Amino acid sequence: DAEITQSPRHKITETGRQVTLACHQTWNHNNMFWYRQDLGHGLRLIHYSYGVQDTNKGEVSDGYSVSRSNTEDLPLTLESAASSQTSVYFCASSEGDSKNIQYFGAGTRLSVL
Amino acid sequence: QKEVEQNSGPLSVPEGAIASLNCTYSDRGSQSFFWYRQYSGKSPELIMSIYSNGDKEDGRFTAQLNKASQYVSLLIRDSQPSDSATYLCAVRSSNTGKLIFGQGTTLQVKP
């Protein structure tokens, strides 16, 4: 079955380290998204992509970057991890049709100490 | 005013009752609306989408949309303890096409 997978599921790192969270989907969706979810803030969009070589900033993109070299993957990189980036990160994908239904991965819980 | 507003709850209903979850939005041009269910420690799961005014029913779930009032709701009939979760309302922005999420309503169904 087609799916969207995130890895790792849990990550502990230290401030200042570079961290990469993986997202891989097998639906052949054009659109991919990264969100973070924090108490009191709900789901907030970090970066998104509408196709290969396309990347765009969301509302909370500072300190994060993404690259889209193929349809299946959109890795999220924290350039220099900060304690404020401790959060749960969700990747999502959608077909890119008018309905824009997004399907979410299981999430990555990141702790920056 | 937040773009998508939901009462955070918790909303507590007895088993077998109807749970009514509400969401208001500010973008008058929005055309696509979604309800996601999120169990504690899990990812959001789509349960309903609605694009036209009126009601859309799927099993025990009914989504209601009123674009004039900028209001979308989710009714859960015959609520079960397994329905206890946080329900996220999402609206597709008419300007950017991106989904804007509310902060979610926590539903507790008591046996």
Side-chain angles (χ1 to χ4, degrees):
Chain A
D1 286 344
E3 59 181 2
I4 180 168
T5 56
Q6 294 184 233
S7 62
R9 293 295 315 280
H10 302 274
K11 175 77 176 177
I12 300 174
T13 191
E14 297 176 344
T15 56
R17 289 189 179 267
Q18 183 181 81
V19 177
T20 297
L21 309 183
C23 177
H24 178 82
Q25 53 96 6
T26 58
W27 281 306
N28 202 36
H29 284 168
N30 287 324
N31 301 346
M32 296 185 72
F33 308 85
W34 274 103
Y35 295 90
R36 60 179 289 176
Q37 188 174 39
D38 306 283
L39 281 175
H41 291 281
L43 279 164
R44 292 184 291 175
L45 185 63
I46 305 171
H47 280 287
Y48 59 102
S49 169
Y50 288 150
V52 176
Q53 303 301 331
D54 176 72
T55 60
N56 305 280
K57 294 181 178 180
E59 62 177 308
V60 289
S61 60
D62 286 350
Y64 303 94
S65 63
V66 294
S67 61
R68 187 89 181 269
S69 59
N70 58 52
T71 301
E72 295 81 15
D73 299 289
L74 187 70
L76 177 71
T77 297
L78 286 68
E79 304 294 344
S80 177
S83 57
S84 60
Q85 294 177 309
T86 293
S87 186
V88 179
Y89 291 86
F90 289 105
C91 179
S93 71
S94 69
E95 271 193 17
D97 60 1
S98 59
K99 294 185 177 180
N100 194 33
I101 294 176
Q102 292 187 20
Y103 299 94
F104 284 79
T108 295
R109 184 173 295 275
L110 177 67
S111 296
V112 183
L113 306 179
Chain B
Q1 181 188 7
K2 293 181 179 178
E3 293 181 87
V4 179
E5 293 205 55
Q6 298 180 253
N7 188 322
S8 61
L11 172 66
S12 183
V13 300
E15 183 175 356
I18 297 174
S20 178
L21 306 164
N22 304 314
C23 173
T24 58
Y25 59 94
S26 61
D27 182 355
R28 188 170 287 279
S30 294
Q31 299 294 324
S32 305
F33 307 85
F34 308 90
W35 283 100
Y36 286 82
R37 177 177 62 199
Q38 187 175 24
Y39 291 115
S40 181
K42 302 295 185 182
S43 61
E45 172 193 12
L46 180 73
I47 54 172
M48 291 289 285
S49 59
I50 187 166
Y51 308 98
S52 305
N53 274 332
D55 295 358
K56 179 181 178 182
E57 187 174 319
D58 184 0
R60 296 185 297 111
F61 299 98
T62 299
Q64 298 175 320
L65 175 61
N66 184 325
K67 292 183 180 178
S69 300
Q70 296 174 240
Y71 176 95
V72 58
S73 64
L74 179 70
L75 301 179
I76 306 175
R77 290 182 300 281
D78 188 24
S79 294
Q80 301 297 309
S82 59
D83 295 324
S84 297
T86 296
Y87 289 81
L88 303 173
C89 173
V91 177
R92 185 180 182 188
S93 168
S94 63
N95 289 331
T96 67
K98 293 178 287 187
L99 286 189
I100 309 298
F101 287 85
Q103 292 198 22
T105 298
T106 299
L107 173 66
Q108 297 175 346
V109 182
K110 297 188 175 181

